Amino acid sequence: ARRIRSATTDPRPTRGGRLVKAADLFVSCLENENVEYVFGVPGEESLQLVDSLSGSDVRFVTCRHEQGAAFMADVYGRLTGRAGVCLSTLGPGATNLVTGVADANMDMAPLVAISGQAPTTRLHKKSHQVIDLVRLFEPITKFSAEVRTPEIIPEVVRKAFKLAEAEVPGACFIELPQNVAEQESAESAPLRRQSPLPPAPNAAALQRMVELIDASRDPLILAGHGVIRARAADRLVAFAESLNIPVVTTFMAKGVMPATHALFLGTAGLQAHDYSFCGFKQADLLICVGYDMVEYPPDLWRRESQELAHIHSGPAEVDKHYIVSVGLVGDVGTSLDALRERCRRHRHRLSGAPRRDLLAEMWERADDHGFPVKPQKIINDLRQALAPNDIVISDVGAHKMWLARLYEAEQPNTCIISNGFAAMGIALPGAVAAALVHPDRTIVAVTGDGGFMLNSQELETAVRLGVSLVALIWSDSSYGLIEWKQICRLGRPNCVEFGNPDFVQYARSFGAQAHRIGKAEDLLPTLREAIVSRGITVIDCPVDYRENLILTDRLGALVCRD
C-alpha cells in the first residue's frame, strides 16, 4: 500500500503517533485492493478523494458521463475478474451511475462504485442535491454503505471488494460524505486481503450426478457465464470431449467452447425455436454448468420430462421450470474434473444438423453484395478481420441477436454481451476499458446507432487516453430490435424512427478517424485498414434489417432433423 501522507503536524497524541486525512486512507485502501483505474467525473463533494488519487498509484480516468464511467468499470471487472471502480459526486452524479452499476450487478461483473456526499451535518433535512444514496443503491448492489467516520474506512472498503469479487460477483456501493473525507484520523492501515476458497463438491451429490449422467442416453451441456468467471473453460472442453457430450452456450458464455469445435451446437437465447433448440429437444439430460437464470429463462428450453443437473458455485435459483434432479455446488472446474474421471463416455445421438444449418445460414449471405449490408455479411467480414483473441464488445439491439447467433468466438471473453440487465450504451465505454486492459489486442465496439448515441461522448475519452479501438455502427435510423418485435407482435412499427448526425464528421470532430460504408464489398477492407491504423476509428455501416423478419419466418418454420 502507498505511504499515507501526514495530514497535520498537530502534536496531540494519537494511536498511530500522527494524524492522516481520511481521503488518503481511502486511497491507500484502494491501492491495497490492487486498483489500477478509477473511472469517473470529479465533483465538489469528491474533491478530497480525487486530490488524494492524484498522488497515488491509481490512475483516475476522467470520463464525459458517469454512466460511461460505470460501464467502463463493468467491462473492466468482467475481463479481469477484479472489481472495476467508478466514482461520482453526489445527487445527479450518483444517479447517473445507476444504470451501469445495475448492469454489472445483474451480469455478475465485479464493480465498486464510490460517490461523494454532502456533509453529514445536512443529511437529516431537505438540502441541495441530497438524496439517500445508500438506499438508492441497495436494490442494485450486494452491499451499500456510508462511511460515517474515517476509522471504518479499511473495513468498508475491504468488505466492498470482498463481496464484489466473490462468486457470485456483483456490484457494491460506498458513500463518502465530504466532511468525513476531510477529517483527520489516527493513522490506520488497510486490512489484509482475504478471499474464501470455493468448496469442493459434496461426495454424495457427486456420486448421484455420476449415476445420472451414466444413465442418460442423450445428455446435453448448457454452459453459462459462470464457467468463464470460474476460469474453467478448458476444463469444460475436456469434460465434454472425454464424455463426448455436445455443448450449447448462453450469449454471455460465448467462446467457452470454441465455435469451431465438433461438439459445439451453437448459442442459445434468441428465442425458443432456434437451431440450438433442436439439441434441447432431443436431450434426455440437461447438464447446466455455470448457468445463471438471468442469461436465458428455463421455460424457453426445458421440457418437464427432462432430467436436470446443476453444476455451479452456488445453489440453483428457485423456478418451477428449473427443478434439478441433482445439484453439485462448489468450484466449477473441480466439479467437472471429478465427473470426468468417474463418468463413462457417451455415444450421443444428438444431431450435428443445428451447427451445420447455422453455418449454412451464415455463408448464404456472406458474399451478398446487396446494400444496405446484410447482418450476416457484417459478421462474416468482422470475423475475417479479427484474430481469435481480439475482443468484440456488443451493445444492445437487433445487432446483438445476430452477433450472438453467428459470431464465432474461439476463446472466453472475446465476445462480451450484456444479457442480464442488457443495458444499451455499454459498447463504446466498454471498449475503452477493454483497450486499457488489453492494449495489445484489437477491440471492436459493435453497436447500433441508437446505442452509440447514448454514450458517444466517450469518443473524446478514448481519443484523450490514446487507446486503440474500432466502433462499428450498424445504422438504420431506428430502434431496430423494438421495430422487429413490434412488427412480429403488432403488425406495424411505431415511435422507433429517429435521425442521426453525420457520423463521419461527428467522429472526426473528436479527433477520431471515420469511414462510411457505401457498398457491401468495402466493409472488410475498411475494417482491416482501421485495425492496422490503430487509434480510434468509427465505421458507419448501413444495415439491411429486412433480414430480421426473414429470420423470424425461417425459425418459425424450423423442423429439427434427426
Side-chain angles (χ1 to χ4, degrees):
R2 69 198 290 269
R3 181 176 177 81
I4 303 175
R5 293 175 291 175
S6 178
T8 182
T9 56
D10 191 324
R12 290 175 297 172
T14 68
R15 288 178 296 172
R18 62 182 176 133
L19 298 177
V20 296
K21 188 168 65 176
D24 285 344
L25 175 58
F26 197 105
V27 171
S28 180
C29 291
L30 295 182
E31 288 184 323
N32 183 62
E33 299 294 340
N34 299 317
V35 173
E36 293 184 284
Y37 304 100
V38 172
F39 305 98
V41 177
E44 181 179 353
E45 285 69 24
S46 60
L47 288 177
Q48 295 292 338
L49 194 56
V50 174
D51 183 64
S52 293
L53 283 168
S54 68
S56 77
D57 295 332
V58 181
R59 182 180 180 185
F60 185 78
V61 176
T62 304
C63 302
R64 302 306 304 270
H65 194 284
E66 291 87 353
Q67 185 183 106
F71 280 141
M72 291 179 199
D74 179 350
V75 172
Y76 176 95
R78 187 156 162 179
L79 286 173
T80 66
R82 304 193 307 273
V85 181
C86 52
L87 173 69
S88 76
T89 190
L90 82 172
T95 58
N96 282 345
L97 290 176
V98 167
T99 298
V101 171
D103 189 87
N105 199 55
M106 192 162 284
D107 277 5
M108 288 154 284
L111 176 148
V112 174
I114 305 163
S115 173
Q117 180 57 288
T120 55
T121 52
R122 60 184 181 95
L123 296 183
H124 64 287
K125 58 187 177 183
K126 288 187 176 181
S127 188
H128 179 64
Q129 292 190 314
V130 170
I131 59 173
D132 189 336
L133 295 176
V134 173
R135 289 182 62 192
L136 176 70
F137 281 90
E138 277 178 353
I140 57 170
T141 58
K142 299 175 68 178
F143 172 64
S144 181
E146 175 194 1
V147 177
R148 298 184 179 91
T149 177
E151 285 74 19
I152 69 171
I153 287 174
E155 290 184 349
V156 172
V157 173
R158 177 80 280 272
K159 182 173 182 178
F161 278 84
K162 181 177 181 178
L163 292 177
E165 295 175 353
E167 182 61 50
V168 176
C172 294
F173 172 75
I174 302 173
E175 174 187 273
L176 183 62
Q178 181 179 1
N179 61 330
V180 176
E182 295 169 348
Q183 287 175 19
E184 298 172 357
S185 172
E187 181 178 354
S188 185
L191 299 183
R192 181 163 56 93
R193 287 174 53 84
Q194 292 177 302
S195 298
L197 294 175
N202 177 271
L206 178 62
Q207 182 56 37
R208 290 198 301 273
M209 189 165 292
V210 169
E211 294 168 358
L212 184 66
I213 294 174
D214 283 351
S216 65
R217 295 184 64 193
D218 297 308
L220 174 69
I221 296 168
L222 173 61
H225 189 242
V227 179
I228 296 179
R229 297 197 304 269
R231 303 296 190 262
D234 290 344
R235 293 153 99 173
L236 174 78
V237 173
F239 172 75
E241 289 177 342
S242 179
L243 275 62
N244 197 34
I245 301 177
V247 177
V248 172
T249 71
T250 63
F251 284 10
M252 292 174 62
K254 282 182 71 68
V256 75
M257 187 76 172
T260 53
H261 198 289
L263 289 172
F264 181 62
L265 293 189
T267 304
L270 175 67
Q271 59 187 54
H273 210 223
D274 200 353
Y275 291 125
S276 61
F277 174 76
C278 297
F280 287 111
K281 184 178 179 181
Q282 296 174 40
D284 63 340
L285 170 64
L286 301 173
I287 306 172
C288 299
V289 186
Y291 160 78
D292 299 296
M293 207 164 291
V294 295
E295 300 182 69
Y296 187 35
D299 62 298
L300 296 180
W301 49 264
R302 190 200 177 190
R303 293 181 287 108
E304 286 188 17
S305 59
Q306 290 171 316
E307 299 278 9
L308 187 64
H310 175 85
I311 304 171
H312 212 333
S313 57
E317 177 64 89
V318 176
D319 186 285
K320 67 179 181 179
H321 300 286
Y322 196 76
I323 305 299
V324 302
S325 305
V326 59
L328 203 56
V329 176
D331 179 71
V332 172
T334 302
S335 298
L336 291 172
D337 287 346
L339 289 169
R340 178 168 54 87
E341 293 170 359
R342 292 166 172 80
C343 292
R344 68 175 178 85
R345 183 174 175 83
H346 282 72
R347 298 180 61 183
H348 72 80
R349 300 177 303 146
L350 289 178
S351 172
R355 171 74 181 148
R356 293 193 298 271
D357 290 343
L358 196 64
L359 290 174
E361 178 187 313
M362 176 78 162
W363 288 108
E364 181 182 331
R365 297 292 196 185
D367 295 321
D368 192 301
H369 295 304
F371 192 83
V373 188
K374 300 292 190 293
Q376 300 93 323
K377 179 168 178 54
I378 299 177
I379 293 170
N380 182 66
D381 286 3
L382 181 64
R383 179 67 280 179
Q384 288 190 60
L386 297 181
N389 68 340
D390 290 336
I391 299 173
V392 171
I393 312 287
S394 176
D395 218 304
V396 175
H399 64 279
K400 182 182 86 168
M401 301 304 179
W402 287 101
L403 194 75
R405 296 185 72 243
L406 298 180
Y407 185 79
E408 295 196 316
E410 293 296 306
Q411 300 175 18
N413 274 341
T414 57
C415 184
I416 305 296
I417 297 176
S418 171
N419 207 44
F421 198 58
M424 283 181 66
I426 191 174
L428 181 59
V432 173
L436 290 172
V437 174
H438 293 294
D440 55 328
R441 304 190 197 180
T442 297
I443 311 297
V444 180
V446 176
T447 179
D449 42 9
F452 176 75
M453 289 304 294
L454 287 181
N455 275 308
S456 62
Q457 73 283 344
E458 301 305 340
L459 276 175
E460 190 279 327
T461 306
V463 171
R464 174 167 29 91
L465 291 174
V467 298
S468 292
L469 62 86
V470 178
L472 177 59
I473 306 172
W474 299 36
S475 57
D476 69 327
S477 299
S478 173
Y479 291 116
L481 181 59
I482 303 306
E483 181 177 354
W484 187 357
K485 292 179 182 292
Q486 285 176 334
I487 294 173
C488 289
R489 298 179 188 179
L490 306 174
R492 63 184 184 277
N494 188 30
C495 304
V496 290
E497 295 182 352
F498 50 74
N500 282 318
D502 183 322
F503 286 129
V504 171
Q505 293 189 49
Y506 183 70
R508 289 174 180 171
S509 72
F510 285 104
Q513 305 168 78
H515 307 276
R516 179 177 295 110
I517 302 302
K519 55 183 185 294
E521 51 266 41
D522 286 348
L523 178 57
L524 182 56
T526 302
L527 282 167
R528 287 175 169 159
E529 178 186 342
I531 291 168
V532 171
S533 65
R534 306 293 288 171
I536 311 299
T537 301
V538 173
I539 300 174
D540 177 9
C541 182
V543 59
D544 185 358
Y545 273 146
R546 290 177 299 178
E547 290 293 308
N548 294 348
L549 296 178
I550 295 173
L551 175 64
T552 298
D553 291 341
R554 173 178 288 181
L555 296 185
L558 178 65
V559 176
C560 295
R561 291 188 271 159
D562 295 329

